[in-house]
Amino acid sequence: MDRFINKEAILTPRVKKLKEGYLNTPVYISSDRSRILTEYWKETEGSLESIYIKRAKAFERIMEEMKINIFEGELIVGGMTHYRRGCNFYPEWQCEWLENEIDEIGEMSGNYTKIKDESTRKQLLDQTNYWKGRDILTVCKKTWRDIYGSAPEDTQDCRVNIDYTPHPGPTRKIPDHPKILNMGLTGVMAEIEEKLNGFKPITCEDIKKWNLWKAMLITCNAVIKFAGRYSRMAKEMADNEKDSKRKEELEKISEICRWVPENPPRTFWESIQCFYFIHIAIGIEATLSGNSPGRFDQYMYPFYRRDIEEGSLNGEKAGELLACLWIKFNEYHYLQKGSVSGFVQGSPFQNLCIGGIKPENGEDASNELSMLILEVTQHVRLPQPTVSVRYNDKLKEDFLLKTAETVRSGGGQPTFFNDKYAFSVLPYYGIPVYEVRNWAPVGCVEMSIPGCASLFWGTGFIAIPKCLEWVLHNGFDPYIKKQVGKETGDPLNFTSFEQVWEALTIQIGWVMEVSAFLTAQSETNYPAEYAPVIFHSVTTNDCIKDGREINQGGARYTFFNGMAPVGMMTGTNSLIAIKKLVFEDKVISMKELIEALDANFQGKEEIKKLCLDAPKYGNDDNYADEMAQRLFKVCNELVTKHTNPFGETLHNLYAGITAHYYHGAATGATPDGRVAYYPYGDGSVSPVQGTDKKGPTTVIRSAGKIDAAPSFCTLFNQKFHPSALNDMDGLKKFLAYLKTYMDLAGYHIQFNCVDRETLLKAKERPDEYRDLVVRVAGFCHFFTHLSPLIQDEIIERTEQNW
């Protein structure tokens, strides 16, 4: 396998200029999508047309009328907006927040957007005014209040869960890119027309299918026309271009956009452009958040290999094309209300997978393109896409060494996922071997089957330490000073740790009950009724075959959704402290502990020290690690009491994002010694910051004891000092360390390879470190763009070395 290592071949003058342009450009909100949608909705008020047809025609008009741009030097063209860095507004899902927060846009944590001019500001407010009372959130709230009264708002306000916000469309999805690359949209349309041919809609269900198929044809044509607009623009630019080389490039771009995605691509360049048009079309319809490329090195490799063998492409040109695409991945931003921005820090979670095995024979799937992807990721150094490696023992050593070199370069890339875990869990859900072998991570760290599944979990984040805080206050929430949780008894009367445990399971179970209901309404039921996503459905099996929209259960697999318990290790360490200090060693009473927590340990330093010195997960201590195992087990048991809208049992996704920051900011001091309103421990199987004291090997031994199955993911962060990987010996130690964790059947692990001093300097002098990228959770981000609390939390993560 070739090792393409020429940095300058990746960072060509073109790529450097495009990256610099990106870094120097603000993020602007575009009102185009929302304006055109609103205008169409006003025009068709009172129409009896199917919601499928109405949504498809609105999408068609957006694709025909939204402003577009081709920027200087680009080889891959297209955008969610006409801005180099831009984001759209999706008022049909939720809108009132923008009216309330519009003056703070750009000031909120994780939100870097700006409104360019007063005209745009007025349009956004006009659109909000129209959709108020018509958006999905408004409809959802009426049902929520009928069933649960004030509980949805109360649990939101105290942050035991996240803000109950319907996401525009499925938020975690890998489209069937191979199908479109092989057939073109003309082939997909032929498949749809075959379903319509001779079909007689008689039943209500038949009429839905008929209208959905008709709507699908409209959206496919809309995407073809959208590409055609770029073809014409490139041709007009070429006609006026004086530079002969750029003129030739623009003419080529025009030809490519005239051909794809209408037709199957013929070259590697065309395949990238085809992929990108489909990618952004999905986002224009209903956001790109969590929309992931999947196994990019597999379905793009035939185009790459053919061009290389024919001599029409070399490694340098392929690297430049990929680098241009990587920059395009970063141009999209996600407009979010303040509470959600703080939760996800604005990441679009575009997860691109390499490695793994081949579905047809189970052999090593890594190839030259996989290596090139690592090179591009290493040298371009941008937060997106999230490059993920599917790890197994069949991967070749040179590929694994390249992954280690990329980790060493900094930037938090790539992240590693274990085939062994996936192969042990996915068959449990009845997925056939061929598709299990083709699995890929989606969004942050969740498992999915490319082209066949969609994941919904928008309101299912459960703050475990907050639930424990309720236990210690008999369901009363100190943050909003209101009874929110269940009354589980006065903790001062508890005579055993098991009573604490039982009370905790009641609190967690109740929040899961509320969250399961809210997620079903806001992520599936009401979107299916009021804002179906037609083009999303076109790109997902088996929506065409069955004539069912994705929110109605049209995807082949509809069980990839559930709850997301957060703060698992802060909860674990807190339970350990209660068990040992109060009930076993009896060095403090429950009353003394609660008083110390309520005082945020002020004047209670001796108790704080006892809490900090209690055993902690992450040190290969069975006493501590068994508590972590027990907490995972009960969370898995509690979630299975609930089903999704399709009648399937819910399971957990131990992801995290920056939920540890969001929830921690509303949780008082905890029994593990954490002070009030500080972030929880990050991830789900990561040790709490600074509590893993015995080196990296003991950490993976602790993590390897946790049996999270059959959950769809865990999240594990580690931080290494760069000196640990500074030579071949260090790289091989790293790979041995990685293999050990994978042999223990851990699901996921990712790394920051950056020293504390660099992070401190970046926080102090952000202008000098504006392109410093770090791993946060299931995503990377510019360090200087993170909130100070999250910066501090990353700095405080234990810095490992051999």
Side-chain angles (χ1 to χ4, degrees):
M1 187 181 293
D2 299 330
R3 297 194 71 201
F4 184 86
I5 57 174
N6 186 345
K7 178 179 179 180
E8 292 307 313
I10 301 287
L11 293 180
T12 62
R14 179 201 311 278
V15 172
K16 289 178 180 177
K17 190 171 183 180
L18 287 171
K19 180 180 176 181
E20 193 65 23
Y22 163 81
L23 291 172
N24 290 329
T25 302
V27 181
Y28 290 118
I29 305 172
S30 171
S31 60
D32 276 7
R33 180 202 178 274
S34 47
R35 173 183 56 78
I36 298 165
L37 172 75
T38 304
E39 288 171 354
Y40 183 82
W41 230 250
K42 287 178 178 178
E43 289 173 18
T44 56
E45 279 188 13
S47 167
L48 296 180
E49 203 163 40
S50 160
I51 187 63
Y52 295 147
I53 302 296
K54 191 171 180 178
R55 285 282 295 178
K57 287 183 176 179
F59 175 72
E60 180 181 44
R61 185 176 292 186
I62 291 166
M63 301 299 267
E64 289 174 344
E65 296 182 8
M66 64 175 280
K67 294 188 283 291
I68 63 173
N69 241 326
I70 295 176
F71 299 101
E72 183 182 353
E74 286 191 316
L75 296 178
I76 307 301
V77 301
M80 296 274 289
T81 73
H82 64 290
Y83 296 121
R84 169 160 274 168
R85 298 175 70 181
C87 58
N88 287 315
F89 180 35
Y90 301 85
E92 67 269 41
W93 269 272
Q94 33 136 351
C95 62
E96 233 173 306
W97 72 269
L98 186 66
E99 182 178 62
N100 298 330
E101 299 181 8
I102 195 164
D103 292 330
E104 286 77 45
I105 288 288
E107 304 300 323
M108 299 176 287
S109 172
N111 193 329
Y112 318 109
T113 54
K114 298 179 183 296
I115 298 174
K116 191 167 187 179
D117 50 47
E118 186 57 34
S119 173
T120 301
R121 186 180 191 278
K122 184 179 183 306
Q123 286 182 21
L124 292 169
L125 288 173
D126 287 345
Q127 293 149 22
T128 297
N129 188 57
Y130 174 79
W131 286 97
K132 274 195 301 186
R134 306 168 189 258
D135 62 335
I136 290 172
L137 181 58
T138 301
V139 179
C140 286
K141 280 183 174 180
K142 292 175 182 176
T143 306
W144 297 348
R145 288 165 180 160
D146 284 347
I147 305 298
Y148 284 104
S150 67
E153 281 82 3
D154 292 342
T155 51
Q156 167 189 315
D157 292 344
C158 75
R159 297 197 183 188
V160 73
N161 206 319
I162 64 167
D163 193 343
Y164 302 132
T165 302
H167 291 87
T171 55
R172 294 292 189 271
K173 175 177 177 289
I174 302 172
D176 192 354
H177 286 292
K179 177 180 178 178
I180 296 172
L181 289 168
N182 290 328
M183 298 173 64
L185 286 178
T186 51
V188 176
M189 291 168 71
E191 180 185 346
I192 298 167
E193 286 166 346
E194 187 176 339
K195 300 297 290 185
L196 283 165
N197 187 28
F199 184 83
K200 294 183 175 64
I202 298 173
T203 67
C204 291
E205 192 64 28
D206 288 344
I207 293 169
K208 281 186 178 180
K209 291 180 180 182
W210 175 270
N211 283 318
L212 178 62
W213 288 325
K214 289 282 191 180
M216 285 176 165
L217 291 175
I218 293 169
T219 62
C220 288
N221 268 315
V223 177
I224 291 169
K225 291 176 184 176
F226 183 64
R229 294 179 64 200
Y230 279 97
S231 176
R232 293 189 294 275
M233 176 176 279
K235 183 64 171 68
E236 291 169 6
M237 292 172 70
D239 290 344
N240 295 310
E241 180 59 57
K242 299 293 189 289
D243 181 89
S244 59
K245 183 180 179 183
R246 183 57 180 164
K247 182 182 184 71
E248 184 180 339
E249 287 174 351
L250 287 165
E251 288 172 343
K252 185 64 176 177
I253 290 168
S254 177
E255 176 193 335
I256 290 171
C257 296
R258 190 165 56 250
W259 183 259
V260 295
E262 181 176 5
N263 304 291
R266 301 162 295 191
T267 67
F268 186 59
W269 190 349
E270 286 183 352
S271 70
I272 293 176
Q273 185 63 67
C274 181
F275 158 84
Y276 193 63
F277 273 138
I278 301 303
H279 187 67
I280 60 175
I282 288 170
I284 292 168
E285 182 183 43
T287 191
L288 269 181
S289 179
N291 190 62
S292 298
R295 302 192 72 189
F296 190 85
D297 65 338
Q298 301 304 297
Y299 58 77
M300 300 296 278
Y301 182 66
F303 301 98
Y304 169 86
R305 187 72 254 162
R306 184 172 61 200
D307 283 6
I308 292 287
E309 289 173 352
E310 290 177 354
S312 59
L313 182 73
N314 56 33
E316 288 81 1
K317 186 62 178 178
E320 186 180 49
L321 285 168
L322 286 177
C324 289
L325 176 62
W326 262 227
I327 292 167
K328 298 298 287 185
F329 275 125
N330 287 273
E331 291 178 353
Y332 164 71
H333 292 260
Y334 184 14
L335 178 64
Q336 301 152 327
K337 63 196 301 185
S339 56
V340 180
S341 295
F343 189 80
V344 303
Q345 296 293 294
S347 176
F349 309 107
Q350 300 164 104
N351 202 318
L352 186 149
C353 181
I354 60 176
I357 61 174
K358 298 176 181 177
E360 62 271 19
N361 57 21
E363 294 302 315
D364 175 20
S366 62
N367 54 46
E368 298 95 319
L369 184 57
S370 314
M371 299 284 276
L372 186 56
I373 286 168
L374 289 169
E375 290 289 348
V376 171
T377 300
Q378 179 177 337
H379 299 311
V380 174
R381 291 179 66 84
L382 287 171
Q384 293 290 309
T386 299
V387 175
S388 298
V389 173
R390 265 185 51 188
Y391 181 96
N392 60 75
D393 288 337
K394 294 184 178 182
L395 295 174
K396 296 178 181 65
E397 184 181 22
D398 58 348
F399 173 70
L400 288 172
L401 280 171
K402 189 66 213 170
T403 67
E405 289 173 6
T406 308
V407 169
R408 179 178 63 187
S409 71
Q413 304 263 33
T415 182
F416 297 86
F417 294 85
N418 193 0
D419 274 353
K420 184 177 291 186
Y421 181 89
F423 296 162
S424 72
V425 168
L426 291 174
Y428 168 84
Y429 296 97
I431 301 173
V433 171
Y434 180 87
E435 289 185 339
V436 170
R437 287 176 172 176
N438 199 42
W439 82 276
V442 62
C444 296
V445 291
E446 308 90 285
M447 285 190 288
S448 188
I449 304 299
C452 298
S454 186
L455 186 152
F456 306 89
W457 65 335
T459 63
F461 287 81
I462 315 296
I464 301 302
K466 170 65 74 171
C467 291
L468 182 57
E469 186 175 48
W470 286 355
V471 169
L472 299 180
H473 295 84
N474 197 15
F476 183 81
D477 189 273
Y479 184 68
I480 63 170
K481 296 178 171 52
K482 186 176 182 179
Q483 187 75 25
V484 183
K486 292 288 187 179
E487 292 185 5
T488 47
D490 184 348
L492 301 186
N493 295 329
F494 291 169
T495 58
S496 72
F497 175 74
E498 292 309 311
Q499 288 176 288
V500 176
W501 185 264
E502 179 61 27
L504 180 62
T505 62
I506 292 170
Q507 302 292 4
I508 295 172
W510 181 73
V511 181
M512 282 187 172
E513 176 194 328
V514 175
S515 296
F517 176 78
L518 300 184
T519 297
Q521 303 307 311
S522 65
E523 300 295 313
T524 306
N525 294 341
Y526 285 112
E529 185 72 20
Y530 297 106
V533 284
I534 312 302
F535 194 66
H536 274 69
S537 302
V538 167
T539 64
T540 306
N541 299 311
D542 296 320
C543 293
I544 295 174
K545 179 173 75 72
D546 296 337
R548 187 175 296 134
E549 189 260 354
I550 193 169
N551 288 306
Q552 293 182 324
R556 182 172 301 168
Y557 303 117
T558 55
F559 47 72
F560 282 94
N561 45 24
M563 299 291 104
V566 174
M568 293 297 288
M569 293 312 161
T570 296
T572 291
N573 290 345
S574 295
L575 289 165
I576 292 166
I578 293 173
K579 182 181 181 183
K580 184 163 183 61
L581 300 179
V582 176
F583 294 104
E584 291 184 350
D585 295 351
K586 301 182 190 292
V587 293
I588 56 174
S589 68
M590 183 68 83
K591 182 174 186 294
E592 288 172 323
L593 175 62
I594 294 173
E595 286 176 351
L597 299 178
D598 289 346
N600 197 19
F601 297 113
Q602 295 299 310
K604 308 288 184 179
E605 285 72 19
E606 289 184 7
I607 293 179
K608 181 179 182 181
K609 186 177 188 307
L610 287 170
C611 292
L612 290 171
D613 290 344
K616 298 287 189 287
Y617 162 84
N619 297 289
D620 195 21
D621 176 347
N622 284 334
Y623 181 89
D625 297 343
E626 285 169 7
M627 186 66 76
Q629 295 171 55
R630 188 178 184 189
L631 186 57
F632 272 86
K633 185 173 184 292
V634 77
C635 285
N636 283 345
E637 290 170 350
L638 289 170
V639 76
T640 58
K641 295 180 180 180
H642 307 287
T643 57
N644 69 15
F646 315 114
E648 293 158 327
T649 301
L650 291 180
H651 294 279
N652 282 320
L653 305 101
Y654 297 99
I657 318 181
T658 47
H660 61 298
Y661 153 75
Y662 176 82
H663 293 295
T667 305
T670 42
D672 62 336
R674 169 191 156 276
V675 297
Y677 315 127
Y678 191 75
Y680 301 160
D682 64 276
S684 56
V685 299
S686 312
V688 174
Q689 307 89 340
T691 60
D692 42 336
K693 305 286 189 182
K694 297 182 179 180
T697 305
T698 59
V699 176
I700 58 172
R701 282 205 290 263
S702 286
K705 296 173 190 175
I706 294 173
D707 180 10
S711 67
F712 293 118
C713 63
T714 55
L715 193 154
F716 186 12
N717 284 316
Q718 284 281 268
K719 185 169 72 172
F720 275 84
H721 191 280
S723 63
L725 285 76
N726 66 355
D727 55 21
M728 185 56 70
D729 182 59
L731 293 176
K732 290 189 173 181
K733 283 182 179 177
F734 173 81
L735 291 179
Y737 168 83
L738 180 62
K739 175 176 169 51
T740 300
Y741 183 59
M742 297 303 183
D743 286 345
L744 292 170
Y747 169 66
H748 160 270
I749 190 168
Q750 58 196 16
F751 305 90
N752 273 313
C753 192
V754 59
D755 61 274
R756 180 184 180 89
E757 290 71 25
T758 298
L759 295 176
L760 289 170
K761 289 176 184 175
K763 186 178 179 185
E764 183 182 342
R765 304 194 298 273
D767 290 345
E768 298 176 24
Y769 293 86
R770 62 180 184 148
D771 62 348
L772 174 63
V773 177
V774 296
R775 171 64 62 172
V776 182
F779 64 98
C780 293
H781 217 312
F782 293 114
F783 181 76
T784 57
H785 286 184
L786 296 169
S787 72
L789 264 179
I790 296 180
Q791 290 178 331
D792 291 341
E793 184 268 308
I794 292 172
I795 291 169
E796 292 307 313
R797 293 178 190 175
T798 302
E799 192 174 275
Q800 306 284 10
N801 213 325
W802 309 120

